[in-house]
Amino acid sequence: MSARTSTLREFSLENEIYPHGMAHIQYLTKTNLDRIRKINHFLINAFQQSLSDIKENLSSTYLFLLTDSHGVLLAMVYSADLEQVVKQSPIRPGMIFTARSCGVNAISESMDKQGPVQLSPEQHENPLFQSWHCYAAPLSVGLQHVGYLDVSTINADIQSELIAIAKLIPAHMQNRYQSNLASSVTEQPSIEFTKRQLTILKMISSGLTVKAIAVKLKIKECTVNHHKKVIFNKLGVQSSAEAVSIASRLSYL
């Protein structure tokens, strides 16, 4: 089982069946989506701010998608002429863009190859995307992989233009992200952790299991679980992945 699949299995999923050979598209439940968007709110804000700076200069049909590192759709920006198309389509926040969920697509290919991918309409497995020219690429902030950006158009004539823009967006987003994060850290009251809690938090971030932490610290597993529960409560999260993400952004790791 891949780390990506394992992480997604921590969350409740919903399945929807669409006609004409489409896959059983998977979505996060609203509760889990709200949690994921809360964790990634700096990334979402950076995406929206970056697109607001450039979309006024785009005159043709376009669709920009932002997913987290597991392919969960967090936000999208599209041209006015696509409003009804998007509303009537299954594309919405919470949709999971893995190949298992919705067939081979630019984001799923970028996830597999960990690099930029360009797909023409006929290369998409799902009929939902078979009118679209798509380009997807991983997004990073510093050394941290945070998600994927997809830019799509049904107009082949502006494909090169949109790809050129898409290649510029990550740097713009990183600047926005870091600026927003710095402002938030300055304004947010600090969380008080004990020395033991910080030690366990760092061990969790390195991927150690509860059993491994207990062995290293020479304490009982139930004691480790108690510390984890306290850490999660202080950070306002419900999983190790969320705890590491929030703690990293608040400079505790």
Side-chain angles (χ1 to χ4, degrees):
M1 184 189 305
S2 68
R4 181 183 306 121
T5 302
S6 177
T7 301
L8 283 176
R9 286 187 177 179
E10 292 181 13
F11 302 103
S12 298
L13 304 178
E14 296 176 340
N15 292 276
E16 294 188 15
I17 303 173
Y18 291 92
H20 311 304
M22 293 187 189
H24 293 216
I25 297 176
Q26 293 183 321
Y27 299 83
L28 289 189
T29 62
K30 184 180 183 304
T31 299
N32 286 321
L33 175 59
D34 288 343
R35 288 168 53 198
I36 292 295
R37 293 186 75 174
K38 180 179 179 182
I39 293 170
N40 290 282
H41 70 279
F42 290 119
L43 181 64
I44 294 170
N45 287 344
F47 170 75
Q48 293 171 335
Q49 290 168 349
S50 297
L51 267 295
S52 68
D53 291 341
I54 66 167
K55 67 181 182 180
E56 292 181 359
N57 298 315
L58 298 174
S59 57
S60 299
T61 298
Y62 61 83
L63 172 66
F64 289 90
L65 303 176
L66 171 70
T67 78
D68 72 355
S69 58
H70 305 291
V72 176
L73 183 60
L74 300 173
M76 54 185 174
V77 174
Y78 45 85
S79 51
D81 59 335
L82 276 183
E83 184 171 359
Q84 289 304 314
V85 173
V86 172
K87 285 183 177 179
Q88 293 171 7
S89 83
I91 302 175
R92 65 175 188 266
M95 181 176 175
I96 301 172
F97 274 81
T98 59
R100 180 178 181 179
S101 169
C102 54
V104 172
N105 60 84
I107 295 173
S108 72
E109 287 291 278
S110 184
M111 293 171 73
D112 288 341
K113 297 179 180 179
Q114 285 302 294
V117 171
Q118 183 177 347
L119 258 60
S120 57
E122 63 273 12
Q123 291 177 294
H124 290 89
E125 185 176 357
N126 194 319
L128 173 64
F129 307 117
Q130 287 177 354
S131 298
W132 293 90
H133 299 268
C134 302
Y135 172 87
L139 292 170
S140 298
V141 176
L143 298 178
Q144 184 183 9
H145 174 218
V146 293
Y148 296 88
L149 172 72
D150 175 280
V151 55
S152 302
T153 181
I154 57 176
N155 185 348
D157 294 336
I158 69 161
Q159 182 182 10
S160 297
E161 175 188 345
L162 284 180
I163 290 176
I165 291 172
K167 290 179 178 179
L168 296 174
I169 291 174
H172 197 284
M173 282 184 61
Q174 177 162 312
N175 290 335
R176 289 281 195 174
Y177 183 104
Q178 292 176 328
S179 176
N180 292 344
L181 179 58
S183 297
S184 175
V185 170
T186 300
E187 296 170 1
Q188 181 164 336
S190 61
I191 300 172
E192 293 186 4
F193 290 111
T194 65
K195 184 177 180 180
R196 178 51 59 90
Q197 288 165 2
L198 283 173
T199 298
I200 291 175
L201 183 55
K202 290 175 182 177
M203 288 181 167
I204 292 171
S205 72
S206 67
L208 293 180
T209 63
V210 168
K211 183 175 182 179
I213 293 172
V215 170
K216 279 184 172 291
L217 296 180
K218 298 180 180 179
I219 58 178
K220 295 180 179 179
E221 290 182 36
C222 61
T223 304
V224 177
N225 282 323
H226 170 73
H227 284 302
K228 280 184 66 176
K229 183 177 180 180
V230 174
I231 291 167
F232 288 5
N233 287 339
K234 288 184 176 181
L235 290 170
V237 301
Q238 297 185 40
S239 72
S240 294
E242 290 177 288
V244 171
S245 178
I246 294 293
S248 295
R249 292 173 194 179
L250 294 177
S251 302
Y252 288 103
L253 295 174

